[in-house]
Structure formats: C-alpha cells, structure tokens
Amino acid sequence: MSTVLVLNGPNLNRLGTREPGVYGTRTLDDIRVLLQNAAPAGTIIDLRQSNSEGQLIDWLHEATDSRTPVVFNPAGYTHTSVALRDAVALLTETGTPLVEVHLSNPHAREPFRHVSHVSPVASGVIAGFGHVSYLLALQAVLQLSEA
Ligand code: DHK
C-alpha cells in the first residue's frame, strides 16, 4: 500500500458553490472520489483541507518524515506564504515529489495571482484545467515517485 497526500488550502472547502465560473461545480469530496478511482490499485488518496497555514505546514512536515508524495493546492497562500514555501522546500529537498496544482490558471487572472512562492521549490506545477488539474497532478506525482 502507498499513499498520496492531497493537501488543499483556504476556501477550498467551499468548492462546489464558490465562484463556480472560476473553480467549477465539483466539491472537494467529488475530487477525492475521482482521484481514488483514477489511482492504481493499492494507492490510498489521503485528501485533506485546512484554512489554517500552520495546519498545512504540520501536514507537510508529516509528509517529509514519512516520504509521502504530495499534490498541493495552496490556494490563496500560494501568493503570500513564505512559511509554506519553506515547508515545501523541506519536503522536496529529501527527493520526495510535490506537485503544485490549481483549478484555475492564476496567470490569466489578477496580477497578484501571478506570483507563487511555492512554484520554485515544487517538483512541478499544473494549473488551469479545473478538476482535471488534480488528475494530471496525481499522474505526475506517481510518475515522479517511481523515478
Ligand atoms: C485557488 C485559490 O483559492 C486562489 O486563491 C488561487 C487557486 C488559485 C486555484 O485555482 O485552485 O489564486
């Protein structure tokens, strides 16, 4: 059995009703089911969400210690959090992959969304494909885990 941790930052607990024109109509639980169905047999999708930066950092430390690959949507913290960036760097420095994911394409949106503090220390970034971004990110993180 292997695990992929799928971490989600602030306001993503409101997916489904939050700005559906931007983020789509699927809930985070819908995305969890899609990912679990797409995952190879024996892979557990451990999807978590928090509105708290500290909680997300604690989960990244947990993934670092257990060498668990991560798909991470830092949501609004993408553009503001040096602390999250540092926690992601701790993880990826160990050789454990982390794919940054976004439902929308932040580069096609307001200028303040064009900067990601996480991208320079992530293994890669997938953005702009709605819920499909998560499926692509899962594929990528699994491939990187095998490498
Ligand atoms: C989600 C958010 O909550 C925004 O703050 C980011 C990201 C974009 C997304 O597209 O998944 O700017």
Side-chain angles (χ1 to χ4, degrees), residues 10-12 18 23 73 75-79 101-106 109 113 134:
N11 302 307
L12 294 172
R18 175 193 181 203
Y23 299 108
N73 187 344
Y77 290 141
T78 307
H79 319 296
V101 65
H102 300 284
L103 293 147
S104 67
N105 176 1
R109 300 179 63 192
R113 294 185 204 274
Y134 280 80

Side-chain angles (χ1 to χ4, degrees), residues 3-143:
T3 300
V4 175
L5 197 55
V6 182
L7 297 182
N8 296 276
N11 302 307
L12 294 172
N13 53 323
R14 298 289 175 151
L15 283 184
T17 53
R18 175 193 181 203
E19 299 183 74
V22 177
Y23 299 108
T25 53
R26 285 185 171 75
T27 65
L28 210 45
D29 197 51
D30 294 336
I31 291 173
R32 184 188 60 72
V33 171
L34 284 170
L35 289 174
Q36 189 60 71
N37 289 340
T43 299
I44 296 165
I45 301 298
D46 182 355
L47 185 145
R48 307 179 191 178
Q49 188 277 332
S50 178
N51 295 323
S52 153
E53 199 173 7
Q55 177 64 85
L56 293 163
I57 291 168
D58 288 345
W59 286 337
L60 287 165
H61 289 174
E62 191 184 313
T64 301
D65 293 341
S66 60
R67 302 281 197 273
T68 303
V70 178
V71 170
F72 186 26
N73 187 344
Y77 290 141
T78 307
H79 319 296
T80 62
S81 179
V82 172
L84 272 176
R85 176 248 176 250
D86 289 348
V88 170
L90 274 175
L91 173 79
T92 53
E93 274 166 13
T94 68
T96 305
L98 178 144
V99 175
E100 179 184 343
V101 65
H102 300 284
L103 293 147
S104 67
N105 176 1
H107 296 283
R109 300 179 63 192
E110 304 95 322
F112 65 83
R113 294 185 204 274
H114 296 179
V115 171
S116 167
H117 293 296
V118 172
S119 297
V121 290
S123 310
V125 185
I126 296 175
F129 302 101
H131 68 279
V132 176
S133 289
Y134 280 80
L135 292 165
L136 295 170
L138 174 64
Q139 265 187 12
V141 89
L142 287 171
Q143 293 247 344

